[in-house]
Structure formats: C-alpha cells, structure tokens
Amino acid sequence: MKTKSKNTGLAIALGAGLGAAAGLVAGHVGVWLALGIAIGLALAGAFRRKPTDCPECAAIHRLHQEKAKS
C-alpha cells in the first residue's frame, strides 16, 4: 500500500512543479499550478501497478466474500 501512495505523491509533486514552472513562464501561476496537479493525478492513475495474484490473498478475499453473503 505504501508504494501506491508514494507513487501518487511523486506524480502530484512532479505535476505541481511542472505546472508552477509553466505558470512562471506564462504569467498565470495559479491556473498552471492547478493544471499541473490535475495532470499529475492523471499520470498517477495511469501508471498504477497491477495487483499481485498471491494464493493467500485470494483465499482471504474468498473468505471475506463468503462472510459478506451470509
């Protein structure tokens, strides 16, 4: 779980940095900063890792689903 947050935080930070730099050049820091953060969030969502398929996790998940049905 920590890896996902770290990657999301890194993407937001990079997006904010690039947005701030573009805002300084263009003269509209607030607009570009917001766009940079949005782009960072989009990149973080695009590069999510595929969850690993381990037998222990699958068994726990099945057990949890069975309890929810009862």
Side-chain angles (χ1 to χ4, degrees):
M1 283 303 248
K2 290 183 181 181
T3 308
K4 188 168 94 172
S5 321
K6 184 178 178 183
N7 290 338
T8 303
L10 181 63
I12 292 171
L14 287 174
L18 291 174
L24 288 174
V25 172
H28 301 285
V29 177
V31 173
W32 281 100
L33 183 60
L35 285 173
I37 291 172
I39 291 169
L41 283 171
L43 286 175
F47 291 119
R48 283 198 180 148
R49 293 183 181 184
K50 181 181 174 185
T52 58
D53 297 326
C54 73
E56 293 87 9
C57 294
I60 292 171
H61 184 66
R62 267 193 309 276
L63 182 64
H64 178 74
Q65 286 181 333
E66 290 172 4
K67 283 184 180 180
K69 288 180 183 178
S70 301

